[in-house]
């Protein structure tokens, strides 16, 4: 398992797409902080970029990598290696490589310009989102053997978590605006890792108006410490569940 993991990490780190992603993220991060006179404003601007760009790159790149590695995976399956070890090695390699790219591209600038609790929370949230969408990508790749469908499914999932989910929540709010929805909104917050990531960071800031409705309710009900702890737990669950389902599918898959 260690050899497979090492091979995957080295292979991904040398990938041009990952290098471009790292450089682009670094360029954006430095530009945002240098354009803003207040580092807190720069952090807020960077937040919106991270919540969109990081999940997109993580899920699309991971999905394509899995499909492009199909022959390599088939070769490994033919060897006396457990399928569980192969799949977890692929997940670990993708998660570690993309997390490293995120840390270099966004984590280091954040530490340089805003190394406080909020900055640390943003780095941890970005790392969690990276790992979560790698996990979701493995699930998408495990559902269908067709590369085009798999990539399409990944894009659809990203669109759902980035845009469609919030639209559905707003529609729900307008339809049931006469009813108390506070508990329901807290529940809905856990159904979207990007929302949880947003809550993670904005709970550290005293900016409830910018948190969106779900984040504001989350803050009102749970407060800073409890809310952050619950958000981290929710993000961890989002890593485990898609990975577990994809692992079960890969274990039973006829290659």
């Amino acid at each position: 398992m260690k050899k497979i993991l090492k091979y995957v990490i080295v292979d991904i780190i040398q990938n041009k797409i990952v290098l471009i992603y790292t450089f682009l993220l670094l360029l954006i991060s430095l530009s945002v902080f240098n354009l803003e006179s207040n580092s807190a404003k720069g952090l807020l601007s960077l937040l919106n970029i991270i919540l969109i760009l990081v999940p997109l790159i993580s899920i699309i790149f991971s999905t394509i990598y899995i499909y492009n590695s199909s022959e390599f995976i088939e070769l490994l399956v033919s060897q006396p290696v457990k399928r569980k070890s192969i799949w977890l090695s692929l997940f670990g390699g993708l998660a570690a490589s993309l997390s490293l790219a995120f840390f270099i591209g966004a984590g280091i600038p954040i530490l340089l310009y805003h190394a406080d609790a909020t900055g640390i929370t943003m780095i941890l949230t970005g790392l969690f989102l990276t790992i979560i969408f790698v996990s979701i990508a493995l699930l998408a790749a495990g559902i269908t053997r067709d590369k085009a469908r798999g990539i399409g499914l990944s894009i659809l999932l990203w669109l759902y978590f980035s845009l469609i989910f919030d639209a559905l929540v707003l529609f729900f709010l307008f339809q049931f605006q006469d009813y108390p929805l506070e508990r329901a909104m807290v529940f809905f917050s856990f159904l979207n890792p990007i929302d949880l990531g947003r809550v993670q960071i904005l709970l550290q800031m005293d900016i409830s108006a910018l948190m969106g409705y779900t984040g504001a309710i989350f803050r009102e009900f749970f407060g800073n410490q409890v809310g952050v702890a619950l958000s981290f737990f929710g993000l961890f669950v989002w890593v485990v569940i898609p990975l577990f389902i994809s692992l079960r599918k890969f274990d039973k898959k006829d290659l």
Side-chain angles (χ1 to χ4, degrees):
M1 181 173 176
K2 290 182 179 179
K3 290 183 179 180
I4 302 173
L5 179 63
K6 182 180 178 181
Y7 172 82
V8 173
I9 291 175
V10 172
D11 183 47
I12 296 174
I13 288 176
Q14 295 175 347
N15 190 287
K16 291 182 180 179
I17 301 298
V18 174
L19 295 176
I20 293 172
Y21 167 60
T22 306
F23 177 76
L24 179 63
L25 205 55
L26 181 63
L27 182 63
I28 292 173
S29 301
L30 293 175
S31 299
V32 166
F33 280 116
N34 285 314
L35 287 173
E36 296 287 353
S37 57
N38 188 340
S39 62
K41 292 181 180 179
L43 204 65
L44 278 174
S45 300
L46 188 60
L47 168 64
N48 295 320
I49 297 170
I50 288 175
L51 292 179
I52 297 297
L53 184 62
V54 170
L56 175 63
I57 298 298
S58 298
I59 194 170
I60 298 299
F61 177 83
S62 299
T63 304
I64 294 174
Y65 185 84
I66 292 296
Y67 281 111
N68 289 346
S69 303
S70 58
E71 293 182 359
F72 173 64
I73 294 173
E74 290 175 6
L75 177 63
L76 290 175
V77 170
S78 66
Q79 304 299 316
V81 182
K82 293 182 179 179
R83 288 196 174 198
K84 179 180 179 181
S85 299
I86 296 171
W87 200 243
L88 290 179
S89 297
L90 289 169
F91 168 75
L94 283 164
S97 303
L98 291 175
S99 295
L100 178 62
F102 169 79
F103 182 76
I104 294 173
I108 292 177
I110 291 172
L111 290 176
L112 290 175
Y113 288 93
H114 208 284
D116 60 0
T118 306
I120 299 298
T121 302
M122 179 174 283
I123 294 173
L124 291 176
T125 301
L127 293 173
F128 258 112
L129 286 177
T130 298
I131 298 170
I132 287 169
F133 279 87
V134 169
S135 180
I136 294 174
L138 264 64
L139 177 59
I143 289 175
T144 175
R145 298 186 64 174
D146 184 73
K147 183 177 180 179
R149 289 183 180 179
I151 295 173
L153 179 59
S154 294
I155 295 173
L156 184 62
L157 287 170
W158 173 78
L159 284 172
Y160 169 76
F161 289 119
S162 299
L163 301 173
I164 299 174
F165 178 84
D166 288 334
L168 292 175
V169 169
L170 286 174
F171 176 78
F172 179 81
L173 287 175
F174 282 121
Q175 291 296 316
F176 300 96
Q177 57 185 332
D178 296 330
Y179 298 90
L181 298 173
E182 287 80 6
R183 292 183 182 275
M185 295 311 300
V186 172
F187 172 74
F188 286 148
S189 298
F190 283 92
L191 298 180
N192 188 346
I194 294 179
D195 260 7
L196 277 178
R198 185 181 295 112
V199 169
Q200 279 278 20
I201 299 162
L202 294 179
L203 279 176
Q204 297 290 329
M205 302 178 177
D206 192 19
I207 317 175
S208 299
L210 297 178
M211 294 178 68
Y213 191 75
T214 55
I217 295 298
F218 199 94
R219 180 184 180 90
E220 179 183 347
F221 266 73
F222 296 102
N224 281 348
Q225 295 181 353
V226 178
V228 169
L230 288 173
S231 297
F232 268 120
F233 177 75
L235 290 174
F236 177 75
V237 171
W238 269 105
V239 174
V240 173
I241 292 178
L243 179 61
F244 176 76
I245 297 173
S246 68
L247 186 60
R248 292 289 298 272
K249 286 186 173 295
F250 179 72
D251 198 41
K252 298 178 181 179
K253 195 172 185 180
D254 184 14
L255 299 176

